[in-house]
Amino acid sequence: MNRVFLKAGIGLLTAGIGLPTFAGITVGNPDSDLGALTVSGTVRASYQDKQYGTSASDQKVQFDAGILKLDYQSKNLFGHAEYRCYQYSKLCDFSTLVDGYMGYKLNQTDNITVGLQPIPFGPGQYWDSSFYAGINNTIGLQDAHDLGVKYHFEMPSATKFDLVYFLTDGGNYHGSSQDSARYTANLVNSSETNLQEKNMWMARVSQDIHPLDNDDLKLTVGGSYWHSDIKNKNTAQNGSRNAWALFNTIQYKNLGISLTGGKTSINNKDQLDPTLSTFGSFDTEYEIANKGYFYSVDLNYTFNNVHNLLNITPYVVFSGFDKKDKSFSNSERNIVGVAWNHKNISLYTEYVMSKNDPFVGGTLSSLAQGDDGKWNKLLNIMFIYNF
């Protein structure tokens, strides 16, 4: 199969290492009944050197994305909307809604949220400290956003629960693909399979632990479960997805460690392709094995206020997708990097090493059968300005 260089504009603004924030422009008072509306945004520029075995390097600084955010806060209500405009060949040739939800505060800890929002699967919205994100982002488990209602509540024992029902996925927006102009990796309508995920039920529980009353050491353990219906429009049958994840995060002073692992299983009711399904994200479609085990390991350490100027965070990320079908080759994406933060400016410098990865030198089949299995490398430098 000819090698296909997929559009890789993944790019998270990860919360794993505490990015700096900027207030933007706020109108109103968040402590009042009327509340306050805050408008903020982000501009990103990137430089990439793609070491894929063929001539594929960008080797130039270019505009990456523009992000507009609206946040609302009042005594009882809160809300958030986010829209992103990316540039591949020209400005905003791919753009998408990421979030759009409103919430009601039941008390200081409990709330109900309705709309397009992050799913409660795994340790949090982000599983690692990198900008490019681990392979689990590409298979639609990390930093995924769907449309539905979420109930969050906490107990005095520091046990936190999330119960959700998502009616459907986040939708298709502006791009050149048939059904893949979307932020989250979702099942899509393609020439191979025609699938739609709906009626997604999820539950997550996490427990904070403070061993030996040591304020410097914080542990969190937890698990999450996902069940949904999958409508196969080609066969007019309904299949399903079942997935689970266990996670453990450790914070000791400035050292952070996060471990996540689990299994995903899709029954797509497809007679031609029962072992794989077509997903789409960032205006690109690709195949993913229906069954497999996934993992993510993140290690980071933050040096605060270096020379009274910078917060510097080196990190290492290991992530993979081990497919149950033994005729399929497993996928890996490992990242070594450093985040440099000063007020509302951030710089990520990272080196990505992947094999059987559609967004790092792979093909449409990388996350299913696999490609040539060779390690591809990517130097990714991202400049971020928050305003």
Side-chain angles (χ1 to χ4, degrees), residues 300-349:
N300 64 81
Y301 188 92
T302 300
F303 299 91
N304 289 315
N305 203 25
V306 177
H307 297 300
N308 295 317
L309 184 66
L310 291 172
N311 293 333
I312 303 175
T313 304
Y315 53 83
V316 179
V317 178
F318 303 97
S319 66
F321 182 42
D322 294 346
K323 302 150 193 176
K324 188 173 182 180
D325 191 323
K326 297 306 178 183
S327 66
F328 290 0
S329 298
N330 295 331
S331 298
E332 295 181 53
R333 183 187 295 167
N334 305 319
I335 305 171
V336 177
V338 181
W340 316 75
N341 300 316
H342 172 70
K343 295 182 179 179
N344 57 322
I345 297 174
S346 299
L347 178 68
Y348 280 83
T349 54

Side-chain angles (χ1 to χ4, degrees), residues 102-358:
M102 288 294 297
Y104 179 76
K105 304 173 187 176
L106 300 172
N107 52 48
Q108 290 185 346
T109 59
D110 304 352
N111 58 71
I112 296 175
T113 311
V114 179
L116 179 59
Q117 58 189 298
I119 69 171
F121 191 77
Q125 181 175 346
Y126 307 107
W127 296 9
D128 61 69
S129 304
S130 70
F131 179 88
Y132 207 81
I135 199 77
N136 300 294
N137 176 270
T138 307
I139 63 177
L141 302 175
Q142 173 185 348
D143 190 26
H145 303 244
D146 292 317
L147 179 64
V149 56
K150 179 179 72 174
Y151 174 41
H152 174 84
F153 65 99
E154 302 180 15
M155 301 178 65
S157 58
T159 307
K160 302 175 183 178
F161 295 90
D162 289 291
L163 301 174
V164 301
Y165 169 73
F166 290 114
L167 177 65
T168 186
D169 59 43
N172 181 61
Y173 296 90
H174 173 70
S176 60
S177 61
Q178 178 180 349
D179 191 33
S180 299
R182 50 183 77 228
Y183 180 81
T184 298
N186 298 129
L187 291 159
V188 297
N189 178 10
S190 75
S191 58
E192 299 296 327
T193 59
N194 189 355
L195 306 171
Q196 182 180 13
E197 191 167 17
K198 58 182 182 178
N199 299 325
M200 291 170 265
W201 297 91
M202 299 183 194
R204 177 173 63 190
V205 58
S206 63
Q207 177 67 56
D208 293 338
I209 302 172
H210 299 278
L212 305 175
D213 295 325
N214 187 338
D215 293 336
D216 292 330
L217 179 62
K218 299 178 182 178
L219 305 177
T220 300
V221 296
S224 49
Y225 183 76
W226 177 343
H227 172 80
S228 59
D229 298 328
I230 295 176
K231 183 179 181 180
N232 190 319
K233 297 180 181 179
N234 289 336
T235 64
Q237 296 185 54
N238 287 327
S240 63
R241 185 214 292 248
N242 291 286
W244 57 265
L246 300 177
F247 53 87
N248 179 19
T249 61
I250 304 169
Q251 189 72 38
Y252 180 70
K253 295 184 178 179
N254 293 352
L255 174 67
I257 302 173
S258 179
L259 309 172
T260 307
K263 180 182 180 181
T264 180
S265 178
I266 293 176
N267 180 0
N268 63 9
K269 294 294 183 179
D270 197 285
Q271 297 176 353
L272 296 178
D273 292 304
T275 60
L276 59 88
S277 300
T278 304
F279 279 65
S281 67
F282 288 91
D283 210 19
T284 304
E285 65 179 46
Y286 46 91
E287 298 167 346
I288 297 181
N290 282 340
K291 297 182 180 181
Y293 295 90
F294 57 87
Y295 65 87
S296 179
V297 179
D298 174 70
L299 298 91
N300 64 81
Y301 188 92
T302 300
F303 299 91
N304 289 315
N305 203 25
V306 177
H307 297 300
N308 295 317
L309 184 66
L310 291 172
N311 293 333
I312 303 175
T313 304
Y315 53 83
V316 179
V317 178
F318 303 97
S319 66
F321 182 42
D322 294 346
K323 302 150 193 176
K324 188 173 182 180
D325 191 323
K326 297 306 178 183
S327 66
F328 290 0
S329 298
N330 295 331
S331 298
E332 295 181 53
R333 183 187 295 167
N334 305 319
I335 305 171
V336 177
V338 181
W340 316 75
N341 300 316
H342 172 70
K343 295 182 179 179
N344 57 322
I345 297 174
S346 299
L347 178 68
Y348 280 83
T349 54
E350 53 190 20
Y351 194 62
V352 183
M353 296 155 284
S354 287
K355 65 178 180 178
N356 299 313
D357 182 346

